[in-house]
Amino acid sequence: MVNIAVMGYGTVGSGVVEVVRTNGARINQRIGDELNIKYVLDLKEFPGDPVQDKIVHDFETIIDDDDIKIVVEVMGGIEPAYTFVKRCLQAGKSVATSNKALVAKHGAELLSIAKDQGINFLFEASVGGGIPIIRPLNSSLTADEIEEITGILNGTTNYMMTKMFYEGADYDEVLKEAQANGFAERNPEADVEGYDACRKIAILSSLISGQQVDFEDIYCEGITKITAEDMKYAKAMGTTIKLLASSKRRGNRLHAIVAPCMLYPGHPLYNVNGVFNAIFVHGNVLGDAMFYGSGAGKLPTASAVVADVVDAAKHLNRNIMTMWKQDKLKLEDKADAKRRFFIRMKGDAQEMLADLRDSFGDIEIVHADGLDGEFGFITPVMMEGDYDTRAGIYKDEILHMIRIQE
Amino acid sequence: MVNIAVMGYGTVGSGVVEVVRTNGARINQRIGDELNIKYVLDLKEFPGDPVQDKIVHDFETIIDDDDIKIVVEVMGGIEPAYTFVKRCLQAGKSVATSNKALVAKHGAELLSIAKDQGINFLFEASVGGGIPIIRPLNSSLTADEIEEITGILNGTTNYMMTKMFYEGADYDEVLKEAQANGFAERNPEADVEGYDACRKIAILSSLISGQQVDFEDIYCEGITKITAEDMKYAKAMGTTIKLLASSKRRGNRLHAIVAPCMLYPGHPLYNVNGVFNAIFVHGNVLGDAMFYGSGAGKLPTASAVVADVVDAAKHLNRNIMTMWKQDKLKLEDKADAKRRFFIRMKGDAQEMLADLRDSFGDIEIVHADGLDGEFGFITPVMMEGDYDTRAGIYKDEILHMIRIQE
């Protein structure tokens, strides 16, 4: 029998219990042994709940029990999760977690402890919910240099962008609706400001570079300034706008950014709509690939956590995860990244055209129906630093800038 | 040093050599040891080629060399691949193959030998080229009951369907163009009749059911009868037509089929265009997921083969693949599968409506621009056997039937 403990009995924790109950027979077959949830750690009691007899309130019960070989951490947040997980690993217990904040901040250290102990620290559910991405990067795409990972990593904002694009709705209106439907939290900051996506791309960046990438170092711009007018231009250009979290390698340098971007229909992420997440990967020999699925939700996330438990159970005394080093990777300066930019500007396109061409080069003018006294234009590929300099000249005229993803 | 042999120096074989040469440093880092291609088995000589000194013509050289721990089989076809692979496994050498015919026919036996020997028989590249799907099914989606796998598993036919849909071109015209571009072979039968996709869905079906699924048992219909007129109806219905290979479980029964199907835009496979492949997976707790990428091609396929070599090298004496049993799974009778059908019929819709409603129930009429003397209709959900009975009544009027994928 493989005994495990689940720390945290919230949405994901109760999902983990449900997945083990629903698919237990198949899971046991895959492990080759019987999986048993021995403890569920939570501050609350759950009278009448199937796990009521397994509830413990003291972490020491778990750490002291040598029967427990695998611990699921689904409490979220940094503390006490970090202390608990570290102590579990130091005590020789493998850990499976869905906690992106924990992995983004302490992943390198926790992976290193697990390696020293010959056990595993697994976190498939921390990025992309149920979508397998961590394990494919770790064990499938091993013949490649991964040159780019770009993801729609936050379902809330993708739901909002999709609504704004297809229904022409306002940001505030869509946010209220998302909150009413339970797709956005009362305090939506972590989603709409891009912080959630930023932690996830930090984890993916660390994995592909083999070095710690701090999310605080990644330029992060949310969707709060995207308007119904922006979407009109996007449509006129045949594009859509998505919140993308992206990491691109150029030689030894990595350019990571979270920002709303315009995407053309040829891009595999163009059609990823609603609360779905997807992760685009470009490998130097694989070419383009994409992984798509439910990026959040109780059961999809629990599915990924339990798959990690299965893997941990099959490798009880064998470390299987690639590590990344604790020394920080120096990211490429945002000013050095090259791309095209879409700019909305006050004024008259014909009057300003010659002047703008002088500044930005061979720009392309875009008009959107029903928007008077303004116009849009697309710059050629240029460095973001050069864009910034030129945009400074027109700071009173520029209404909005949105990056273009090729 | 991990010494390997590559059997077959055709497109994929030379791709494997190129991938190891290009990404060798990173691959060695991931294995934790140096990967060395010691032999390349081929009937021909390759003077001036980087591998000219490694070329051997006799399989016995490989089997007799105890240094060779891993063998790559990329010759294709059943013989001598089967004999060679079996002897390698029996001699304790792990095998990585891209050979779908071999895996579909002898996978169960070869997996079983590998398990007995404590080594590995890996075949990521046999389905979906560079797209990771075998390993995710084996080690990522382990908390789920996989209820459905539906894939666009053949790039040639997807290229042709895409061209016919977007350009309104004829089947013959598109086939000629595909042949001229190198996307279709001179003898295109294996692709256009669906046999290639059929072998691949047989492999995926065996994996998810844990029992041998023979491709000969799977109903297989190619794209040769799809016309420009069919595409007009598809457009009128807001659908597209794709060659889908599908496997659905209902309890202990599995319904597997390869056929051109109409797909609505809400389906994740709707936007998979050109030579790309994609595999849609539905798990009972995961929900919907999709894996997308290059389903063929020298380097993407070699990327998957080399990733298998990396995995084999990391698990030299440890079996990691789930097996399937050799006893054959009895597939659900095609007649019992339920779905909606699109039918093109000669005649006048209004005159025949009452009669057709009598036979098929509450049908929906579809008209396509410029097609006189015929019309289309969509049936309600019905068993295919019931459809067949009813279609028999109208056999002189029915021009074509295309299944609808929900």
Side-chain angles (χ1 to χ4, degrees):
Chain A
M1 187 178 282
V2 178
N3 285 296
I4 71 168
V6 177
M7 304 197 295
Y9 198 54
T11 305
V12 181
S14 61
V16 167
V17 170
E18 187 175 333
V19 168
V20 172
R21 196 171 55 228
T22 309
N23 291 343
R26 181 54 72 109
I27 290 166
N28 292 343
Q29 188 189 332
R30 283 170 181 148
I31 296 177
D33 201 343
E34 192 188 334
L35 186 72
N36 177 52
I37 298 176
K38 187 168 178 181
Y39 304 119
V40 174
L41 179 72
D42 205 286
L43 292 174
K44 284 179 274 188
E45 297 287 348
F46 294 88
D49 189 284
V51 301
Q52 68 172 352
D53 296 337
K54 300 170 189 280
I55 293 282
V56 293
H57 305 301
D58 186 358
F59 170 69
E60 304 302 327
T61 310
I62 293 169
I63 201 87
D64 289 344
D65 189 337
D66 289 341
D67 276 359
I68 298 291
K69 299 293 181 203
I70 303 165
V71 176
V72 167
E73 186 279 300
V74 286
M75 301 183 288
I78 299 289
E79 283 296 352
Y82 170 60
T83 304
F84 288 0
V85 166
K86 190 170 173 178
R87 286 190 58 199
C88 285
L89 293 171
Q90 285 168 334
K93 302 177 196 298
S94 287
V95 173
T97 183
S98 61
N99 187 333
K100 62 190 169 290
L102 175 67
V103 179
K105 195 166 169 69
H106 297 290
E109 183 196 6
L110 298 170
L111 280 165
S112 159
I113 298 171
K115 184 162 193 184
D116 290 345
Q117 295 279 346
I119 53 168
N120 290 290
F121 175 60
L122 303 173
F123 44 88
E124 183 62 73
S126 68
V127 180
I131 307 171
I133 181 64
I134 305 291
R135 194 173 286 97
L137 285 174
N138 190 57
S139 59
S140 283
L141 307 179
T142 50
D144 276 76
E145 290 285 353
I146 303 300
E147 297 179 335
E148 178 183 346
I149 293 192
T150 295
I152 294 174
L153 297 177
N154 180 275
T156 302
T157 47
N158 200 48
Y159 171 85
M160 292 173 64
M161 290 290 95
T162 304
K163 278 256 168 192
M164 286 178 71
F165 182 74
Y166 285 102
E167 299 174 11
D170 268 334
Y171 175 85
D172 289 331
E173 190 183 320
V174 169
L175 176 59
K176 271 190 203 123
E177 197 198 300
Q179 286 170 320
N181 291 339
F183 293 141
E185 309 207 16
R186 190 100 56 105
N187 177 357
E189 194 186 54
D191 293 320
V192 299
E193 297 291 358
Y195 306 150
D196 173 80
C198 191
R199 284 182 168 82
K200 292 170 178 168
I201 197 69
I203 294 171
L204 296 176
S205 302
S206 299
L207 260 183
I208 63 166
S209 68
Q211 276 184 260
Q212 173 70 21
V213 174
D214 280 352
F215 70 88
E216 295 95 335
D217 294 346
I218 297 175
Y219 175 79
C220 179
E221 183 179 313
I223 61 162
T224 55
K225 295 197 181 89
I226 299 292
T227 64
E229 289 72 31
D230 294 333
M231 287 293 180
K232 283 189 182 173
Y233 282 101
K235 283 194 177 171
M237 290 163 62
T239 66
T240 187
I241 303 174
K242 299 282 186 191
L243 181 65
L244 298 183
S246 184
S247 197
K248 289 183 193 176
R249 288 168 77 175
R250 291 200 302 172
N252 286 323
R253 293 189 302 174
L254 191 93
H255 170 58
I257 183 169
V258 175
C261 289
M262 285 180 163
L263 268 178
Y264 287 91
H267 197 288
L269 296 176
Y270 177 90
N271 289 295
V272 175
N273 289 322
V275 293
F276 281 95
N277 280 205
I279 300 146
F280 168 85
V281 177
H282 182 85
N284 73 330
V285 290
L286 171 69
D288 292 348
M290 185 182 73
F291 302 79
Y292 167 97
S294 296
K298 176 178 169 169
L299 290 180
T301 306
S303 157
V305 173
V306 175
D308 274 353
V309 170
V310 171
D311 224 8
K314 287 167 77 178
H315 300 89
L316 276 181
N317 296 298
R318 186 187 174 97
N319 181 261
I320 54 169
M321 270 293 290
T322 303
M323 305 204 0
W324 68 77
K325 291 183 243 164
Q326 295 196 36
D327 32 309
K328 261 175 67 164
L329 183 70
K330 175 115 182 62
L331 296 179
E332 181 175 74
D333 196 324
K334 169 170 154 283
D336 294 340
K338 280 183 178 173
R339 58 169 79 241
R340 296 192 296 157
F341 299 86
F342 164 77
I343 295 144
R344 267 178 63 203
M345 197 166 240
K346 282 189 280 192
D348 181 88
Q350 284 318 309
E351 281 171 21
M352 298 174 74
L353 185 59
D355 192 46
L356 289 171
R357 288 219 160 120
D358 249 18
S359 300
F360 290 96
D362 192 15
I363 62 168
E364 185 189 328
I365 300 289
V366 186
H367 290 289
D369 277 356
L371 296 180
D372 297 329
E374 66 165 278
F375 62 98
F377 66 92
I378 305 166
T379 72
V381 172
M382 58 198 302
M383 300 226 289
E384 184 142 348
D386 290 341
Y387 163 78
D388 287 340
T389 312
R390 283 155 185 75
I393 308 171
Y394 303 96
K395 63 179 187 298
D396 295 332
E397 288 85 25
I398 291 180
L399 294 163
H400 202 183
M401 177 276 279
I402 301 172
R403 293 169 185 82
I404 295 176
Q405 178 81 11
E406 306 296 342
Chain B
M1 187 179 282
V2 179
N3 284 297
I4 71 168
V6 177
M7 302 197 298
Y9 198 54
T11 305
V12 182
S14 60
V16 167
V17 170
E18 187 175 334
V19 169
V20 171
R21 198 172 53 229
T22 310
N23 292 342
R26 181 54 72 107
I27 289 166
N28 293 343
Q29 190 188 331
R30 284 171 182 146
I31 295 177
D33 201 343
E34 191 187 335
L35 186 72
N36 178 51
I37 299 177
K38 188 168 178 182
Y39 304 119
V40 174
L41 179 72
D42 205 286
L43 292 175
K44 285 179 275 188
E45 297 288 347
F46 293 88
D49 190 283
V51 301
Q52 67 171 354
D53 296 337
K54 299 170 191 278
I55 292 282
V56 293
H57 305 301
D58 186 358
F59 171 70
E60 303 304 326
T61 311
I62 294 169
I63 202 87
D64 288 343
D65 189 337
D66 288 342
D67 275 0
I68 299 291
K69 298 295 181 203
I70 302 165
V71 176
V72 167
E73 186 280 299
V74 286
M75 300 183 289
I78 298 290
E79 283 295 355
Y82 170 60
T83 304
F84 288 0
V85 167
K86 191 170 172 178
R87 286 188 60 198
C88 286
L89 293 171
Q90 285 168 334
K93 301 176 196 301
S94 287
V95 173
T97 183
S98 61
N99 188 333
K100 61 188 169 295
L102 176 69
V103 179
K105 193 165 171 66
H106 297 291
E109 184 196 5
L110 298 171
L111 281 165
S112 160
I113 298 171
K115 183 160 193 188
D116 290 344
Q117 295 280 345
I119 55 170
N120 290 290
F121 176 60
L122 303 173
F123 44 88
E124 183 62 72
S126 68
V127 180
I131 307 170
I133 179 64
I134 305 290
R135 193 173 284 97
L137 286 174
N138 189 58
S139 59
S140 282
L141 307 179
T142 50
D144 274 76
E145 290 285 352
I146 303 300
E147 297 178 336
E148 178 183 347
I149 293 193
T150 295
I152 294 174
L153 297 178
N154 180 274
T156 303
T157 48
N158 200 49
Y159 172 84
M160 292 173 63
M161 291 289 95
T162 304
K163 277 258 167 187
M164 287 178 71
F165 182 75
Y166 285 103
E167 298 174 11
D170 269 333
Y171 175 84
D172 290 330
E173 187 184 323
V174 168
L175 177 58
K176 272 191 203 121
E177 197 198 302
Q179 286 170 319
N181 290 339
F183 292 144
E185 309 207 17
R186 191 100 57 102
N187 177 356
E189 194 186 54
D191 294 320
V192 298
E193 295 292 356
Y195 306 149
D196 174 81
C198 192
R199 284 182 169 80
K200 292 169 178 170
I201 196 70
I203 295 171
L204 296 176
S205 301
S206 298
L207 260 183
I208 63 167
S209 68
Q211 275 183 261
Q212 174 68 20
V213 174
D214 280 352
F215 70 87
E216 295 96 335
D217 295 346
I218 297 175
Y219 175 79
C220 180
E221 183 180 314
I223 61 162
T224 56
K225 296 197 180 90
I226 299 292
T227 63
E229 289 72 31
D230 294 335
M231 287 293 181
K232 283 190 182 171
Y233 282 102
K235 283 194 176 168
M237 291 164 63
T239 66
T240 188
I241 303 174
K242 298 283 187 192
L243 181 65
L244 298 184
S246 182
S247 197
K248 289 184 192 176
R249 287 169 77 174
R250 290 202 301 173
N252 285 325
R253 294 190 300 173
L254 190 93
H255 170 58
I257 183 169
V258 175
C261 289
M262 285 180 162
L263 269 178
Y264 286 91
H267 198 288
L269 297 176
Y270 177 90
N271 290 296
V272 177
N273 288 322
V275 294
F276 281 96
N277 280 205
I279 299 146
F280 168 84
V281 177
H282 182 85
N284 73 330
V285 291
L286 170 69
D288 292 347
M290 185 181 71
F291 303 78
Y292 167 98
S294 296
K298 176 178 170 169
L299 290 180
T301 306
S303 157
V305 173
V306 176
D308 274 353
V309 171
V310 171
D311 223 8
K314 286 166 79 177
H315 299 89
L316 275 182
N317 296 298
R318 186 187 174 97
N319 180 262
I320 54 169
M321 269 294 290
T322 303
M323 304 206 356
W324 67 78
K325 291 184 241 163
Q326 296 197 36
D327 31 308
K328 262 177 64 166
L329 183 70
K330 175 117 183 60
L331 296 179
E332 182 175 74
D333 196 324
K334 169 172 151 283
D336 294 340
K338 282 183 177 172
R339 59 170 79 240
R340 294 192 299 155
F341 299 86
F342 164 76
I343 295 145
R344 267 177 65 202
M345 199 166 237
K346 282 190 281 191
D348 182 87
Q350 283 317 308
E351 281 171 20
M352 296 175 76
L353 185 59
D355 192 45
L356 289 171
R357 288 220 160 120
D358 249 16
S359 299
F360 291 96
D362 193 16
I363 62 168
E364 186 188 330
I365 301 289
V366 187
H367 289 290
D369 277 356
L371 297 180
D372 296 330
E374 64 164 279
F375 62 99
F377 67 92
I378 305 165
T379 72
V381 173
M382 59 198 301
M383 300 225 289
E384 183 142 346
D386 290 342
Y387 163 77
D388 288 339
T389 312
R390 282 156 186 74
I393 308 172
Y394 303 94
K395 62 179 185 301
D396 295 333
E397 287 85 25
I398 291 180
L399 295 163
H400 203 184
M401 177 275 279
I402 300 172
R403 293 169 185 82
I404 296 176
Q405 178 80 11
E406 306 293 342

